[in-house]
Amino acid sequence: MSKSELPVIGQDDQVACCSPMVREPLGEEDAVDLAKMFKALSDPIRLRLLSLIASYEGGEACVCDLTGPFDVSQPTISHHLKVLREAGLVGSERRGTWVYYWVLPAALARLSSLLQAPAVAEPAGAVR
Amino acid sequence: MSKSELPVIGQDDQVACCSPMVREPLGEEDAVDLAKMFKALSDPIRLRLLSLIASYEGGEACVCDLTGPFDVSQPTISHHLKVLREAGLVGSERRGTWVYYWVLPAALARLSSLLQAPAVAEPAGAVR
DNA sequence: ACGCTGTTTCGATGTTTATCGATACAGCCT
DNA sequence: AGGCTGTATCGATAAACATCGAAACAGCGT
């Protein structure tokens, strides 16, 4: 199956695209788009998967590394990885026998900046 | 006695409590806890509610301000506000006839710092 | 006390989600 | 080719969720 045909949202690489949502009301479409990403993060297993992938050496992990730490079946892990991928939070690629996943930092950065609270002071030197 | 001044902690980078999840694997309980907050953010209406509340003058809004902009019934808005409150993302207080809601910045800051990605695009020769 | 307005709770309903076992697909061996 | 391992999809099921109208609750007027 071709992995390139999957609907992927939030791929834009404009990291600093989103000012904090606390500054001005979120548009309706933006909200729908962002909610999909947060929904992908709304499961403990998916959160741990994401964290585990990012923490792996090289920033990527194969599925075989990811099924062990959890008490759910392999199809369930595969399902969660698919959710993360379709939300645009991770990328994946088959390399021979194994399929590797890695985190897409721009997506995380987008959400992170969106959630930045009304600041006491200007965060000087936001990571770019 | 009014809680008009909210405690604002560690807005800019590196909040003491949570290092980015991409650094080290998330613990199981942390993941469960965080997933609840992200689940509260996983609905477009709740995202817009949160943004709307924070954007209001004084950083708070009464329910009567929040029902208009949406196409759902008032009980539904009330339900969503309850979800946000139980997730620890907003606070609320009845003042006479009206009930006011405000954002809890520390909660947003926690999520924001958690999602902070490592350097987005690595400069040439970065460790990889 | 009474009615009026703002807000929450309750019950019901249709949809989405997490999970599993079984099965299909993909690439490596011998 | 045939068998083996790793990964994804399928079909089913139970739990969780969003939404509504109706009803209950809370203050404020008169």
Side-chain angles (χ1 to χ4, degrees):
Chain A
M1 139 129 8
S2 67
K3 68 177 170 61
S4 51
E5 309 300 340
L6 288 163
V8 172
I9 61 173
Q11 258 318 8
D12 347 47
D13 52 3
Q14 13 177 209
V15 177
C17 72
C18 316
S19 52
M21 61 187 288
V22 297
R23 281 187 103 64
E24 52 185 339
L26 225 45
E28 199 163 342
E29 311 146 23
D30 282 339
V32 170
D33 187 46
L34 291 164
K36 289 177 187 167
M37 286 195 248
F38 283 123
K39 181 164 293 182
L41 296 176
S42 71
D43 183 281
I45 291 184
R46 287 198 291 268
L47 275 181
R48 290 173 62 203
L49 276 173
L50 198 66
S51 174
L52 201 51
I53 292 169
S55 310
Y56 250 76
E57 47 192 353
E60 60 179 28
C62 82
V63 179
C64 59
D65 294 323
L66 300 173
T67 48
F70 300 95
D71 281 339
V72 297
S73 69
Q74 181 272 325
T76 298
I77 294 294
S78 189
H79 160 71
H80 284 307
L81 289 171
K82 182 180 183 181
V83 172
L84 288 172
R85 182 159 35 88
E86 290 182 346
L89 295 172
V90 302
S92 71
E93 184 188 32
R94 167 158 234 139
R95 287 209 282 277
T97 302
W98 299 281
V99 176
Y100 289 86
Y101 283 78
W102 57 89
V103 172
L104 296 176
L108 291 195
R110 180 183 175 197
L111 299 181
S112 178
S113 67
L114 184 89
L115 291 175
Q116 269 176 353
V120 224
E122 191 76 290
V127 183
R128 249 313 268 180
Chain B
M1 58 175 303
S2 76
K3 49 90 221 108
S4 54
E5 289 311 316
L6 292 163
V8 177
I9 58 174
Q11 293 304 343
D12 25 40
D13 43 5
Q14 312 300 338
V15 176
C17 72
C18 317
S19 55
M21 63 186 289
V22 297
R23 280 202 172 295
E24 51 185 340
L26 225 45
E28 199 162 342
E29 313 132 28
D30 283 338
V32 170
D33 187 44
L34 292 163
K36 288 176 186 167
M37 286 193 247
F38 283 122
K39 181 163 290 183
L41 295 176
S42 72
D43 184 282
I45 292 183
R46 287 199 290 269
L47 274 181
R48 290 173 60 202
L49 276 172
L50 197 66
S51 174
L52 201 51
I53 291 169
S55 310
Y56 251 75
E57 48 192 354
E60 60 179 29
C62 82
V63 179
C64 58
D65 294 322
L66 301 172
T67 49
F70 300 94
D71 280 339
V72 297
S73 70
Q74 186 274 328
T76 298
I77 294 294
S78 189
H79 159 71
H80 284 307
L81 289 170
K82 183 181 183 180
V83 172
L84 287 172
R85 181 160 33 87
E86 291 181 344
L89 295 172
V90 302
S92 72
E93 184 187 34
R94 165 159 236 138
R95 251 175 258 145
T97 301
W98 298 281
V99 176
Y100 289 85
Y101 282 78
W102 58 88
V103 172
L104 297 175
L108 291 196
R110 181 183 175 199
L111 299 181
S112 177
S113 66
L114 185 88
L115 291 175
Q116 268 178 351
V120 168
E122 64 223 41
V127 191
R128 190 65 154 83

